[in-house]
Amino acid sequence: MRKLKAFCRLAISAMAFIALACLTACAAKTPASPPAGTAGFYTKSVGSQKSLARVAELEGHLLVSENSFWEMYLNDETLGIIIKDKTTGEYMRSTVETPSSGDNKNWAGFCQSGVVLEYIQGTNLNMIRADMVNAKKEIELIYRENGFDALVRFEDPGISFALEVSLWDYGFSAEIPQSSIVEEKPDTTVGAIYVYPFMGHSVLGADAGYMLIPDGQGALIELKDNEKRFPSPFISSCYGDNIGLNAAEAWNDYWVLPEKILVPVYGMVHTDKKLGFAAIIESGAESATIEAWPNGASTIYDWISARFIYRHVFMQPTGQTSGTIQSRTERPNRIDIKMRFAFVSGDNAGYDGMAFRYRDYLTETGTFENAKDMSYRTQVDFFGQEKENWALFKLDVNMTDFASAANILEDLGFKTLSVYRGWRTGGYTAGSPALDYSPASGLGGKGGMKKLLDTAKELGDILALDANLLSISPDAHPFESLGSLKRVTGRTYEINTGSMVYPELRYLSPFKSLEAATKSNISASICLSGITSFLTAFKDGSYYDRADAAAIYSQAAEALGDGLVLDEPFAFLFKYGSSLVNMPTGGSDYIYSSREVPFLAIALSGQIPVYGEYLNFTPNQKESLLKLIEGGMRPAFLVTEENPALLRYTNRSDIYSSQYEMLHEQIKEHDKIFRKLDLATEGSAITSHKRSKDLAVVDYENGARIYVNFGDSEIIVDGTSVPALGWEAVR
Amino acid sequence: MKRIAAIAAILCMAMAVPAFSATPYKTYTRTPGEGLSETQTAYEPALSITSVGELLLGSPSDVRVGYDGNLYIADTGGKRIIVATPSGDLVRVLGSGILSAPRGVWVDGSRTVYVADEGLEKTVVLDKDGNQIFEYERPTHPLFGKMAQYKPQKVAVDKRGNIYVASKGNTNGIIQVAGGSGGDFLGYFGANQTRVNLLTMFRRLVYTEEQMARLTDAVPVAVTNMAIDQQGLVYAVSTGDASAPLKKLNMSGRNILDVSFSDSEFTAVAVGLNGNIFAAARSGRIYEYNSEGDLIFIFGAPDDGKSRVGLFKTVSGMAVDERGWIYVSDSEKNSVQAFAPTEFADLVHEAFRLFDEGKYLESKEPWTQIQKMNSQFAYASTGLGEAAYRERQYAEALENFRLGNNRRGYSDAFWELRSNWLGSNLGIAILVLAALAALWQAAKWADRKTAFLTGARNAASRVRNINLVDQCMFAFRNIKNPSDAAYGIKHEGKAGWKSSGILLLAFFVLFVLEKYFSGFLFKSVPNGYYDLAGDFFTVFSVFALSVGCLYLVCTITDGEATLKELFAGAIYAFAPIFLIKPGVIIFTNVLTLGEGFFITLLNVVAVAWTAILAFLAIKNLNDYSFGKTLKVVLLGAFACIVCALLVFIVYVLVSQFIDFVSSIAGEAVFKLAKT
């Protein structure tokens, strides 16, 4: 039977070769021969490009698929592709045509490959790279109407997988199903895979344009000769650091931690060609990192890619203070790679165009179904209770009781979205990990809370109770904290808070978070926090990867019901939210970042209410206000009835400006400004965003145009005067 | 169409926008008495200059802002001085072909540029077009010193034209040279001092001169960098000088600055608006002080390996321009980074300016704004406290000084409030006291007539007659007659384990009360700090160790006291503390700093009296002579140290052994699980 199968495969392959040979003979020019150094390579093709009406070749690549917008060309030796814009004739390569003489063999192979494998031998810390040029391999190609499937087998590691590439109206998709991965040698496993890492690459400023990295709101890395000024690339895990494996970065004296990647999207635009793409990781983002290499950081190329990590090698400690043993995760991460390369061209070839593509994807996948209320609200959050030390026990520090919160809502006189933080017994830091309805008695207890909820309802406000399903204080809950999150090493993850009251915090195991969510008896609206911006591999008996954790957190969000207010959520949770709060307005200030752009805000505009970080803590109030206006985001404030100086000796000493008495005028003033903006834009989506040195010009679907002037002097544009550090709306 | 064209014209510069966003470093401010606390960003990274025009910076060692507003960068790697606009555009290049390794640069009002060139071992003076005017070589004056090094690192020039040169390895101080064609050596200025401690004193006694010369800590460090303010005062930083790394030198070279927070690794210094002083540590922390040396902000940080702006590898120079922007050169990252003050920092500077000028009431507005932005900003509370104090709003001043942790201000406001209270209530208080005294006398008279207090007296007597109470109260006889007390303990059973334990517990309570519940002005621990477990361990372990060791020493020195007697004798000696400390705790809540001597006096009396009683208890209980008692006490103290050391060694050994065993077991379990 096996022999028969082999014979069939051979026969089909032979036929495919003959067909391919005929086709190539008909072509004006034969494809380029394999690059120098190609080792042990052969390709078997199944099917042909016969479905196409014509045969075409571009820079050594054969046309394999086309639609109304794009043509896709393939180099069957490297699996490199070229996407050509049929309207303009411009195209983008996914591989380097001729490597620089300065590139070493490994880099030359890497940059000429459509897909690159990294594998682990034993528990060797360094992964070995197998590319499409240097490695011994076999490729079996199957052509389809809208693309091709390539079964790739690397001989040395004995690893094979299937790459499925399809052309769509938006561009193309690339998939590697986990079920297609075969590891033949027990001690050799897949470490990581790159899929089209050099798509749209550039060399030392040969193309005008930029790379988009999902840092905070989004940042651009300009394509220009950097003269080796940038020593290191941007490498960041999608959905934040994997603290279950990597060294933890908790509280420290020096640094504000970089922004987490909330949305697994990156992009590249060649502005001179008016062509670019947004690469959306549809599946597998939990175990992916995004790498953007500006030229000068190792090579002369500018390239941006996702790297999907299947296994990790880590140091397993054996003693309390010393002794480690090298180990690797007991099973591969669950990754079904699916990437959508959504191309942008013409006037859309920019970061705003990429944002529209991402918005299209989110809309297609039903992400905004829970976002039904787009009416304008200013976010005014309350901070309830915290604890401070006393001689024999800890004292309650009541900052805003429920009656005061109700008074504040009445005094504001406009519709708000409010999240009540620190409302539960135990206060903000030491609230019970069980998500039970236990309003702090010091704030007014259940009776007080009921009155507050009734008041909010009467006023038409949305009042959501904060539910942090992540943190737990071992001091306050010693028994519950026994089951807290364990890293892959089996060690409990502990966070030093730097506070005297609760110096240590832990995280709940995802299963405990899910349990708390399913057992929750809170009937009011909920603001889900903590797990919304945290994702890690962990150990709970056996190894769980980040995809498992994401699935558990999704279940937890689902268990809490529809229409959650989500606190700085990762993209996979967007669909559970009615509004998104605490969203970043800036980035991490990377030295290679030439500019920050409101990519995320543009993508979400008109689809779901997006609120920024609390304005009361920003050092530049005017600039922060303008940034919100520029991105179509909404303002947020955190208020307390009492002077926040009372929090000085608590875990939340970082709340240093919140007293309502001091902030109420500013809040009301901001509400007026943003209501005026909302009146102009009618809550519609952004259709264009351009930024000059000091002026941002933002167009909306309803025809409104907003000018935002970040400069110190007035700007007159098209007869409209935009005041210094101000904005103006026109239709 | 016209509209689109207008927008397009503006958009053509789209990629030249500097980044303004959340900073990669934290910003701290100082809360007096409590250390540092995090605050809003004071300075944001505004610009990172790695090349000026086409010229790449190569190990820039210094940066200054000229009177023309341009940046003067000592580009050591490029062997030149680069003049650039504040936004990093090239103005001109000076010194190419002349300079070898320029490490320091200074520019005066006439745009004359002074360069400290380590490679040439000269200070070179260039005119504004880059022509060499003068050069100053190693001074030949005998006072300069035969062995003294001349490797110019930094240079500064005062209004009189005197040149100050900081030389590598020259520990005599800043080299002062007359400007102009002469270049006469004027002497050393602002030399650092070595720290004198017991060890150095001992070394000076026994070491030879050669041996002393070989000791690095016996030689003062060289001045690393300098700046000069509008008044001509020189500011110097000295890397490695832990005692005074930042100095403000008067005309005679004496330090007149006392900073509360500093860094021994300061490598750069600059003077900004309002005389504010900026000092930067090599690692990247930048400190801003007001002219009095009060720390306002700390910001910046070492590089985190993630290529973020505003972080440093090796800070080499710093300058501040008229806008308050700070420029910092980094010789390892080959860059000059600019920081712009935020709205918050601008407000703070304005408030400080008014405050330092004594315009307390005018400063109220900016302080109020600052407090609105940060209610925990201690300086704002102090500023508002001062303003309220001058407006005679003492209660408001008291509250603000309390928030600002300002003890002096609080003390003054409290004095005023107390004075006011006494002024309006003294009469009533005297009347109440008189009434109470009269009532007491009346009660005594009535009791004599009717004996109506007999019941109460009998009840008190019954309580006193309870053995445990009697034993506890016996402690106070120790005050009257220590010999009798010792006799009572030894022969009359006047002390027991229980009573001694209760008294020890009472001492612990007093200890806690004084530590945590003293008045704000006299409290010795930071607010919000409580460590009862630690206190319990400290008090009881120290007491147990002392008594235990003393007992061991007594047993081998023919002492007659038992452990129980020594324990009782020791705790009964604390009677003065039981008497005085409650009063001390009350006084700390009603006295001001000016009256603090009274509390100090009471404490000294309590401790000295207790020590004497303890000494006498050891003597009497063991029937020792005075000399022998002294010997036993000293031996006991030595035994305590030995015991503590022993416990520490045992602890370390046991914990290492446990870790070793658990490590082996962990590895075995892991490998078994794998197989």
Side-chain angles (χ1 to χ4, degrees):
Chain A
M1 191 64 188
R2 192 180 294 168
K3 282 181 180 174
L4 185 64
K5 266 189 179 175
F7 177 75
C8 290
R9 285 177 69 177
L10 197 65
I12 292 167
S13 301
M15 284 160 61
F17 265 118
I18 292 164
L20 189 64
C22 293
L23 282 167
T24 47
C26 292
K29 185 183 166 188
T30 50
S33 54
T38 302
F41 158 80
Y42 67 90
T43 303
K44 294 186 284 185
S45 298
V46 179
S48 71
Q49 301 104 314
K50 62 182 181 297
S51 57
L52 297 173
R54 61 199 176 91
V55 174
E57 181 270 342
L58 183 61
E59 292 190 0
H61 295 58
L62 279 177
L63 181 68
V64 289
S65 183
E66 66 178 317
N67 58 27
S68 309
F69 307 99
W70 315 103
E71 289 173 359
M72 179 164 70
Y73 295 81
L74 168 71
N75 180 328
D76 61 0
E77 294 153 7
T78 63
L79 296 182
I81 58 171
I82 293 176
I83 300 293
K84 184 176 175 184
D85 182 351
K86 288 177 88 168
T87 315
T88 63
E90 297 288 356
Y91 58 86
M92 270 190 166
R93 289 184 61 112
S94 71
T95 53
V96 172
E97 187 176 14
T98 312
S100 152
S101 55
D103 292 338
N104 64 32
K105 191 179 168 189
N106 284 340
W107 269 113
F110 183 80
C111 68
Q112 286 184 289
S113 302
V115 60
V116 176
L117 168 77
E118 289 180 338
Y119 59 93
I120 300 170
Q121 276 187 330
T123 56
N124 197 332
L125 275 176
N126 297 318
M127 292 190 189
I128 303 164
R129 193 173 274 178
D131 58 57
M132 305 300 290
V133 176
N134 297 311
K136 290 179 185 171
K137 64 188 181 298
E138 299 161 17
I139 301 173
E140 189 176 307
L141 277 169
I142 301 168
Y143 293 103
R144 285 184 278 102
E145 186 74 20
N146 68 334
F148 63 90
D149 299 342
L151 180 64
V152 183
R153 180 180 176 277
F154 287 102
E155 193 176 312
D156 284 345
I159 291 172
S160 56
F161 56 83
L163 171 70
E164 300 167 7
V165 180
S166 309
L167 192 69
W168 307 98
D169 284 353
Y170 59 72
F172 76 94
S173 67
E175 298 177 46
I176 299 180
Q178 188 147 36
S179 56
S180 74
I181 298 175
V182 178
E183 294 171 345
E184 297 163 12
K185 299 177 183 175
D187 207 32
T188 305
T189 63
V190 179
I193 291 179
Y194 289 92
V195 182
Y196 294 115
F198 267 63
M199 190 76 217
H201 67 276
S202 183
V203 185
L204 295 174
D207 304 279
Y210 49 78
M211 296 185 275
L212 169 81
I213 54 173
D215 170 43
Q217 270 291 327
L220 307 181
I221 301 174
E222 198 177 351
L223 302 180
K224 61 178 181 184
D225 186 350
N226 299 316
E227 295 167 324
K228 298 183 180 176
R229 283 177 301 166
F230 305 139
S232 55
F234 169 83
I235 298 179
S236 187
S237 293
C238 292
Y239 306 142
D241 279 343
N242 193 356
I243 61 106
L245 273 156
N246 306 324
E249 284 186 298
W251 185 87
N252 71 74
D253 279 341
Y254 290 116
W255 301 289
V256 174
L257 298 180
E259 295 284 354
K260 296 167 185 169
I261 293 181
L262 301 182
V263 289
V265 186
Y266 60 87
M268 170 80 84
V269 167
H270 293 179
T271 48
D272 50 351
K273 294 180 189 168
K274 291 197 167 183
L275 183 63
F277 67 86
I280 303 163
I281 306 174
E282 292 192 51
S283 171
E286 297 86 358
S287 299
T289 57
I290 291 176
E291 301 182 1
W293 293 70
N295 66 73
S298 283
T299 69
I300 58 169
Y301 305 107
D302 296 276
W303 58 280
I304 185 164
S305 172
R307 178 172 180 255
F308 296 90
I309 301 168
Y310 284 78
R311 274 192 197 259
H312 307 269
V313 177
F314 61 96
M315 303 306 290
Q316 171 69 49
T318 52
Q320 289 301 314
T321 56
S322 62
T324 55
I325 188 166
Q326 208 155 291
S327 184
R328 85 182 172 202
T329 45
E330 55 199 55
R331 62 162 176 81
N333 295 332
R334 296 184 220 282
I335 308 174
D336 275 316
I337 296 177
K338 187 173 182 190
M339 293 197 64
R340 172 188 289 221
F341 288 84
F343 275 73
V344 289
S345 67
D347 290 342
N348 268 342
Y351 59 86
D352 52 352
M354 294 184 205
F356 306 149
R357 289 297 199 185
Y358 185 51
R359 185 197 295 162
D360 294 342
Y361 163 72
L362 292 175
T363 313
E364 272 174 35
T365 49
T367 304
F368 305 117
E369 281 171 6
N370 274 314
K372 290 159 190 159
D373 181 3
M374 285 297 292
S375 62
Y376 178 77
R377 294 165 190 279
T378 293
Q379 188 188 345
V380 182
D381 288 2
F382 300 108
F383 189 84
Q385 191 186 77
E386 187 52 305
K387 295 273 187 186
E388 71 175 3
N389 278 337
W390 193 68
L392 299 176
F393 42 81
K394 295 189 192 317
L395 293 178
D396 290 345
V397 179
N398 295 322
M399 297 301 295
T400 317
D401 61 30
F402 302 136
S404 304
N407 291 340
I408 290 171
L409 289 179
E410 281 171 351
D411 180 65
L412 285 170
F414 51 76
K415 287 187 179 175
T416 62
L417 165 73
S418 293
V419 178
Y420 214 117
R421 302 186 191 270
W423 60 276
R424 289 194 291 157
T425 304
Y428 181 84
T429 306
S432 165
L435 203 53
D436 52 348
Y437 183 67
S438 58
S441 57
L443 300 177
K446 285 185 178 173
M449 178 57 90
K450 187 179 179 309
K451 280 182 192 166
L452 171 62
L453 291 170
D454 290 345
T455 307
K457 199 174 176 184
E458 278 168 27
L459 295 170
D461 294 327
I462 296 173
L463 181 71
L465 304 181
D466 179 37
N468 185 331
L469 291 183
L470 186 63
S471 303
I472 179 170
S473 160
D475 290 336
H477 305 285
F479 295 111
E480 291 93 329
S481 67
L482 290 176
S484 51
L485 183 89
K486 287 187 172 56
R487 301 178 70 186
V488 175
T489 57
R491 301 293 169 101
T492 301
Y493 182 63
E494 294 165 349
I495 306 144
N496 173 16
T497 65
S499 168
M500 288 190 291
V501 188
Y502 297 109
E504 186 200 317
L505 287 181
R506 292 182 187 174
Y507 289 153
L508 286 175
S509 154
F511 290 114
K512 294 277 181 190
S513 300
L514 176 60
E515 188 186 331
T518 49
K519 288 182 178 174
S520 167
N521 61 351
I522 300 172
S523 54
S525 297
I526 285 176
C527 171
L528 184 60
S529 61
I531 62 169
T532 47
S533 51
F534 176 80
L535 197 63
T536 184
F538 64 101
K539 195 156 192 175
D540 196 332
S542 56
Y543 168 72
Y544 291 88
D545 63 28
R546 302 219 310 173
D548 299 321
I552 297 167
Y553 288 154
S554 298
Q555 282 180 52
E558 199 166 2
L560 290 173
D562 296 338
L564 298 173
V565 175
L566 298 174
D567 189 326
E568 202 189 0
F570 293 142
F572 64 86
L573 291 173
F574 282 179
K575 62 184 170 188
Y576 303 104
S578 60
S579 47
L580 313 179
V581 300
N582 198 20
M583 297 297 277
T585 49
S588 309
D589 270 344
Y590 291 110
I591 199 160
Y592 35 71
S593 159
S594 52
R595 188 179 150 194
E596 287 171 0
V597 291
F599 168 81
L600 186 53
I602 296 169
L604 300 176
S605 65
Q607 314 303 316
I608 188 167
V610 180
Y611 297 84
E613 293 148 333
Y614 294 130
L615 273 177
N616 31 332
F617 303 114
T618 58
N620 286 316
Q621 305 265 347
K622 287 176 189 164
E623 188 200 331
S624 303
L625 168 77
L626 295 180
K627 272 189 168 181
L628 290 175
I629 293 172
E630 181 197 16
M633 295 168 74
R634 302 176 180 190
F637 296 88
L638 178 69
V639 302
T640 55
E641 175 67 14
E642 303 294 334
N643 188 331
L646 295 176
L647 290 168
R648 186 185 281 177
Y649 308 112
T650 70
N651 272 57
R652 293 309 309 270
S653 57
D654 57 320
I655 299 175
Y656 42 69
S657 168
S658 61
Q659 195 168 14
Y660 180 69
E661 191 185 329
M662 289 194 167
L663 293 173
H664 69 105
E665 283 175 10
Q666 188 188 357
I667 296 171
K668 288 171 183 172
E669 195 181 309
H670 275 66
D671 184 76
K672 270 185 198 166
I673 292 169
F674 282 88
R675 278 188 197 281
K676 186 181 160 194
L677 179 71
D678 186 64
L679 202 65
T681 63
E682 296 169 328
S684 58
I686 293 173
T687 55
S688 167
H689 181 285
K690 299 286 180 277
R691 172 84 189 262
S692 72
K693 189 169 184 290
D694 285 328
L695 184 75
V697 184
V698 190
D699 290 339
Y700 281 80
E701 214 167 17
N702 71 335
R705 168 167 285 181
I706 308 297
Y707 296 106
V708 187
N709 181 1
F710 287 87
D712 293 331
S713 53
E714 180 193 25
I715 293 178
I716 297 172
V717 53
D718 195 30
T720 302
S721 164
V722 191
L725 289 169
W727 65 284
E728 199 58 57
V730 295
R731 272 195 95 102
Chain B
M1 194 63 198
K2 189 179 163 189
R3 183 169 157 177
I4 294 167
I7 295 164
I10 293 166
L11 297 184
C12 65
M13 296 175 286
M15 299 304 293
V17 183
F20 266 105
S21 62
T23 54
Y25 47 78
K26 294 179 178 176
T27 301
Y28 294 90
T29 186
R30 180 185 168 230
T31 301
E34 291 183 3
L36 302 176
S37 54
E38 207 175 333
T39 185
Q40 279 106 328
T41 303
Y43 290 87
E44 287 185 328
L47 198 63
S48 180
I49 304 170
T50 50
S51 61
V52 180
E54 297 293 314
L55 307 174
L56 279 174
L57 295 182
S59 301
S61 294
D62 201 5
V63 59
R64 303 283 180 186
V65 176
Y67 286 87
D68 52 3
N70 288 327
L71 303 180
Y72 290 73
I73 303 165
D75 184 30
T76 309
K79 301 179 179 180
R80 63 202 168 194
I81 302 298
I82 295 177
V83 187
T85 63
S87 53
D89 298 322
L90 181 66
V91 177
R92 59 185 177 277
V93 177
L94 307 174
S96 290
I98 300 172
L99 303 173
S100 168
R103 296 217 174 269
V105 63
W106 187 269
V107 56
D108 68 12
S110 59
R111 287 196 279 170
T112 303
V113 178
Y114 299 77
V115 185
D117 194 314
E118 186 187 359
L120 298 173
E121 297 193 359
K122 290 174 185 171
T123 303
V124 179
V125 185
L126 307 168
D127 67 14
K128 62 181 167 51
D129 299 317
N131 303 310
Q132 183 172 331
I133 311 172
F134 303 114
E135 61 177 30
Y136 303 109
E137 296 184 339
R138 185 179 188 279
T140 52
H141 197 283
L143 284 178
F144 184 76
K146 278 183 185 174
M147 305 296 288
Q149 292 194 44
Y150 188 73
K151 293 190 173 178
Q153 298 294 304
K154 296 289 181 278
V155 61
V157 183
D158 67 16
K159 282 185 175 173
R160 293 168 294 167
N162 291 331
I163 302 168
Y164 300 81
V165 179
S167 167
K168 187 178 183 179
N170 193 325
T171 58
N172 297 317
I174 300 165
I175 301 157
Q176 199 179 0
V177 180
S181 57
D184 294 336
F185 174 63
L186 299 177
Y188 286 109
F189 184 78
N192 291 314
Q193 305 292 319
T194 51
R195 294 179 75 179
V196 179
N197 53 29
L198 283 174
L199 184 63
T200 48
M201 285 165 74
F202 174 74
R203 281 168 169 170
R204 281 177 187 173
L205 278 175
V206 298
Y207 281 22
T208 62
E209 274 188 27
E210 277 183 4
Q211 285 172 321
M212 284 299 290
R214 280 202 294 270
L215 291 174
T216 51
D217 59 349
V219 181
V221 295
V223 171
T224 311
N225 208 334
M226 298 164 299
I228 295 179
D229 69 8
Q230 296 289 332
Q231 283 77 43
L233 292 173
V234 176
Y235 298 77
V237 288
S238 308
T239 307
D241 186 350
S243 57
L246 170 64
K247 294 188 182 77
K248 183 179 183 177
L249 303 166
N250 64 9
M251 294 305 172
S252 62
R254 202 167 61 82
N255 182 25
I256 53 171
L257 195 70
D258 183 20
V259 295
S260 46
F261 280 88
S262 59
D263 193 313
S264 62
E265 293 293 308
F266 278 152
T267 53
V269 62
V271 186
L273 305 172
N274 312 323
N276 283 5
I277 308 158
F278 296 83
R282 185 194 305 277
S283 60
R285 285 257 178 153
I286 300 169
Y287 294 62
E288 181 182 2
Y289 305 90
N290 70 1
S291 56
E292 302 298 316
D294 297 320
L295 180 73
I296 306 174
F297 296 119
I298 299 180
F299 64 98
D303 192 74
D304 63 353
K306 291 175 181 155
S307 294
R308 298 164 79 192
V309 296
L311 306 179
F312 297 94
K313 284 190 173 170
T314 304
V315 169
S316 54
M318 181 164 59
V320 183
D321 73 7
E322 285 189 340
R323 298 175 297 168
W325 283 43
I326 303 168
Y327 302 86
V328 186
S329 59
D330 187 324
S331 57
E332 207 173 331
K333 286 180 91 171
N334 298 324
S335 67
V336 172
Q337 299 203 46
F339 296 84
T342 60
E343 290 169 23
F344 178 68
D346 284 340
L347 266 175
V348 171
H349 293 151
E350 172 64 6
F352 261 109
R353 185 185 65 78
L354 294 167
F355 191 81
D356 290 344
E357 288 172 5
K359 298 174 180 171
Y360 300 115
L361 298 181
E362 287 91 330
S363 72
K364 195 174 172 181
E365 174 55 29
W367 286 134
T368 307
Q369 285 294 320
I370 293 161
Q371 207 176 46
K372 187 176 160 185
M373 293 177 84
N374 185 346
S375 300
Q376 297 178 24
F377 197 73
Y379 290 115
S381 301
T382 291
L384 289 171
E386 291 286 359
Y389 187 81
R390 268 147 190 83
E391 289 171 335
R392 298 177 184 275
Q393 301 296 321
Y394 300 121
E396 188 187 333
L398 189 84
E399 190 189 337
N400 276 305
F401 284 130
R402 179 79 173 79
L403 281 174
N405 223 14
N406 185 319
R407 296 193 181 202
R408 185 197 53 76
Y410 183 94
S411 177
D412 292 347
F414 182 75
W415 191 92
E416 295 287 353
L417 281 172
R418 193 185 60 183
S419 176
N420 289 347
W421 186 87
L422 287 174
S424 49
N425 296 295
L426 193 60
I428 300 168
I430 290 170
L431 279 176
V432 169
L433 285 175
L436 284 174
L439 200 66
W440 175 245
Q441 290 301 329
K444 277 168 75 177
W445 178 81
D447 184 40
R448 276 200 299 274
K449 294 287 179 193
T450 62
F452 77 99
L453 287 175
T454 307
R457 260 198 307 277
N458 290 341
S461 177
R462 277 198 298 277
V463 170
R464 271 202 302 272
N465 287 336
I466 297 169
N467 191 33
L468 195 58
V469 176
D470 184 46
Q471 284 183 340
C472 289
M473 297 304 289
F474 184 74
F476 295 101
R477 194 185 294 178
N478 208 13
I479 295 173
K480 292 178 189 167
N481 193 333
S483 300
D484 277 2
Y487 184 83
I489 292 169
K490 208 164 175 58
H491 302 293
E492 296 173 350
K494 289 290 185 184
W497 287 108
K498 274 187 190 170
S499 59
S500 304
I502 288 168
L503 288 175
L504 183 58
L505 207 60
F507 171 73
F508 173 70
V509 170
L510 275 178
F511 178 85
V512 167
L513 286 175
E514 188 191 19
K515 187 173 177 184
Y516 300 115
F517 298 97
S518 287
F520 167 69
L521 294 174
F522 299 97
K523 197 173 171 184
S524 58
V525 291
N527 294 318
Y529 172 83
Y530 294 93
D531 181 17
L532 257 61
D535 294 333
F536 187 86
F537 176 77
T538 306
V539 167
F540 285 86
S541 62
V542 166
F543 201 84
L545 185 69
S546 308
V547 172
C549 289
L550 205 59
Y551 173 69
L552 291 176
V553 174
C554 288
T555 53
I556 57 168
T557 51
D558 304 327
E560 294 176 2
T562 62
L563 182 62
K564 179 180 150 187
E565 288 162 5
L566 269 182
F567 178 45
I571 193 63
Y572 278 33
F574 279 65
I577 284 180
F578 294 131
L579 269 183
I580 295 171
K581 279 290 176 184
V584 168
I585 294 166
I586 292 167
F587 283 133
T588 59
N589 284 284
V590 294
L591 296 183
T592 62
L593 285 180
E595 297 140 2
F597 74 94
F598 184 61
I599 289 168
T600 311
L601 180 70
L602 286 176
N603 277 327
V604 168
V605 169
V607 171
W609 198 350
T610 299
I612 291 166
L613 289 180
F615 186 86
L616 291 175
I618 296 165
K619 178 177 174 296
N620 294 333
L621 288 171
N622 290 290
D623 199 18
Y624 285 151
S625 65
F626 180 83
K628 193 166 185 181
T629 309
L630 191 64
K631 184 181 157 192
V632 165
V633 168
L634 291 174
L635 278 172
F638 180 70
C640 284
I641 293 168
V642 171
C643 275
L645 207 62
L646 204 65
V647 168
F648 175 73
I649 290 168
V650 170
Y651 169 78
V652 169
L653 286 175
V654 169
S655 61
Q656 283 197 346
F657 179 73
I658 290 171
D659 191 48
F660 173 72
V661 171
S662 71
S663 178
I664 297 280
E667 195 170 332
V669 167
F670 184 78
K671 290 206 165 166
L672 280 172
K674 281 275 168 192
T675 54

